[in-house]
Amino acid sequence: MNQQKFQDYLLLEKNYSKLTALAYGKDLDFFKNFIEEHFANATLEEVSYTLIRSWIVSMIDSNISNTSVNRKVASLKAFYKFLLKTKQIEVNPLSKHKALKSPKKIQIPFSEDEINKVLNQLHYKEGFEGLRDKLIIDLFYTTGIRRSELIALQIFNVDVSNGTIKVIGKRNKERIIPILPIIQIQIKSYLFERKALPVLLQQDFFFLLQNGNKLNETFVYRLINDYFSNVSEKVKKSPHMLRHTFATHMLNHGADLNSIKELLGHSSLASTQVYTHSSLAELKNVYKNSHPRNQR
């Protein structure tokens, strides 16, 4: 019962997506199965930190990564915060827990050359599908929007004449993102072909499949992966990598961190600072090739 109330709380009060709420629920079930197997008399509402530590140790022994362990524990911590807030427990057993250390992986963005090859040298289908595919890639790269935001983009939130799109981000936060003139031209061409579709089953959505339905996450991931597989050997070729590339290239060309923060829809600057790693690598390269002390 408390689990269902917790998920309702995440959806209705915290404005989390259904997928996020479902992920929290799966993490709780994973922990619940553990205590039922090893501590038959314990319940989710009546566990000690000692018991939780046993669960953490068992996950580590099962070679679950520290990152995955931290995510599962974070779900559990959120659940106990909810129980505390609704006065169903008096103490959060995870209140003093410290997350496990996880190695920070520096994501290598696509190069400007790779982006140029995908947008200007690859062959796209004629008509609706080709225009849509190229526009999706270019919109990711020129705005930095998330995959979920692109899929949910409504046609009435695309203002071609003013050169802006209104995006609904995490927790239903709205932001206005400018679009470049070259994107405005692509949008006009795409909309012309979109009107000619025989069926518009979900016509409020800006991007559609050939059958008139809205896009799905798998389709968008495969689209990005397929096109970039032609020009890049990077392991990760995803919509998020294009978001990462957008931020990195903006930094490399002189944009300030606060502006990028607003464009990306981050709530804090700390979230944006992760993109400075790649920018620093570029800066080091420029420094090495430009400073007179290194010309001898």
Side-chain angles (χ1 to χ4, degrees):
M1 181 65 74
N2 277 328
Q3 280 181 264
Q4 185 57 55
K5 287 181 179 179
F6 173 58
Q7 289 200 291
D8 291 341
Y9 164 75
L10 294 177
L11 290 168
L12 302 175
E13 291 194 39
K14 301 291 284 184
N15 290 321
Y16 286 1
S17 69
K18 289 183 179 180
L19 285 175
T20 301
L22 185 64
Y24 275 69
K26 286 182 178 178
D27 289 338
L28 285 180
D29 286 337
F30 188 69
F31 176 62
K32 187 178 179 181
N33 291 337
F34 174 81
I35 60 175
E36 286 177 351
E37 182 179 350
H38 299 279
F39 303 90
N41 296 323
T43 65
L44 278 176
E45 293 77 9
E46 300 174 343
V47 300
S48 64
Y49 183 59
T50 302
L51 189 155
I52 295 172
R53 275 190 61 83
S54 298
W55 177 53
I56 293 171
V57 170
S58 75
M59 287 192 285
I60 294 171
D61 288 343
S62 298
N63 292 321
I64 295 176
S65 70
N66 285 7
T67 301
S68 295
V69 171
N70 285 339
R71 194 204 72 239
K72 293 179 186 300
V73 174
S75 297
L76 199 61
K77 193 171 186 178
F79 176 66
Y80 288 122
K81 281 184 178 179
F82 166 74
L83 294 183
L84 198 63
K85 182 178 181 179
T86 53
K87 298 183 179 179
Q88 296 181 70
I89 59 172
E90 294 182 0
V91 178
N92 183 341
L94 280 162
S95 59
K96 296 182 179 180
H97 173 75
K98 292 184 178 180
L100 302 176
K101 290 185 178 180
S102 299
K104 291 185 178 180
K105 295 181 180 179
I106 297 177
Q107 294 182 322
I108 301 174
F110 295 119
S111 67
E112 292 185 38
D113 182 57
E114 288 171 333
I115 294 291
N116 179 61
K117 285 178 179 176
V118 168
L119 291 174
N120 300 318
Q121 296 180 24
L122 291 186
H123 173 73
Y124 290 83
K125 292 181 181 178
E126 295 293 326
F128 171 78
E129 288 186 289
L131 288 168
R132 178 202 59 203
D133 291 358
K134 187 173 183 181
L135 179 55
I136 286 172
I137 295 169
D138 221 344
L139 204 62
F140 272 133
Y141 176 60
T142 58
T143 66
I145 63 174
R146 301 176 177 94
R147 175 172 57 177
S148 59
E149 294 169 344
L150 180 132
I151 291 171
L153 186 64
Q154 303 278 298
I155 194 162
F156 50 80
N157 285 334
V158 178
D159 190 340
V160 184
S161 58
N162 286 324
T164 61
I165 58 173
K166 183 165 75 172
V167 172
I168 312 299
K170 289 185 176 180
R171 303 184 188 181
N172 287 328
K173 290 182 180 178
E174 294 183 359
R175 69 185 188 279
I176 305 295
I177 305 177
I179 52 176
L180 299 173
I182 193 171
I183 302 300
Q184 292 172 270
I185 294 170
Q186 289 184 61
I187 286 175
K188 289 177 182 178
S189 299
Y190 165 74
L191 289 176
F192 181 81
E193 293 291 337
R194 184 183 181 278
K195 286 179 182 177
L197 288 177
V199 180
L200 298 176
L201 295 174
Q202 293 174 299
Q203 57 186 334
D204 286 343
F205 292 97
F206 181 75
F207 285 112
L208 297 175
L209 299 171
Q210 185 77 42
N211 63 11
N213 278 310
K214 65 178 286 194
L215 306 183
N216 57 70
E217 292 194 351
T218 301
F219 173 86
V220 177
Y221 176 83
R222 285 178 178 170
L223 185 151
I224 301 302
N225 186 73
D226 288 349
Y227 277 102
F228 277 89
S229 291
N230 291 299
V231 303
S232 177
E233 295 183 358
K234 291 181 175 65
V235 174
K236 191 170 183 180
K237 296 179 279 288
S238 66
H240 184 75
M241 185 54 67
L242 273 173
R243 177 172 163 88
H244 180 64
T245 301
F246 159 79
T248 303
H249 290 184
M250 289 282 286
L251 279 168
N252 289 345
H253 285 271
D256 67 276
L257 211 55
N258 271 308
S259 297
I260 294 172
K261 167 184 170 292
E262 295 302 318
L263 289 168
L264 292 174
H266 285 160
S267 56
S268 70
L269 199 58
S271 300
T272 316
Q273 286 173 331
V274 66
Y275 298 108
T276 62
H277 293 297
S278 298
S279 187
L280 181 59
E282 177 70 17
L283 185 62
K284 285 180 177 179
N285 187 48
V286 171
Y287 175 75
K288 179 181 177 181
N289 294 328
S290 305
H291 198 282
R293 288 282 288 169
N294 200 43
Q295 306 304 312
R296 298 177 181 179

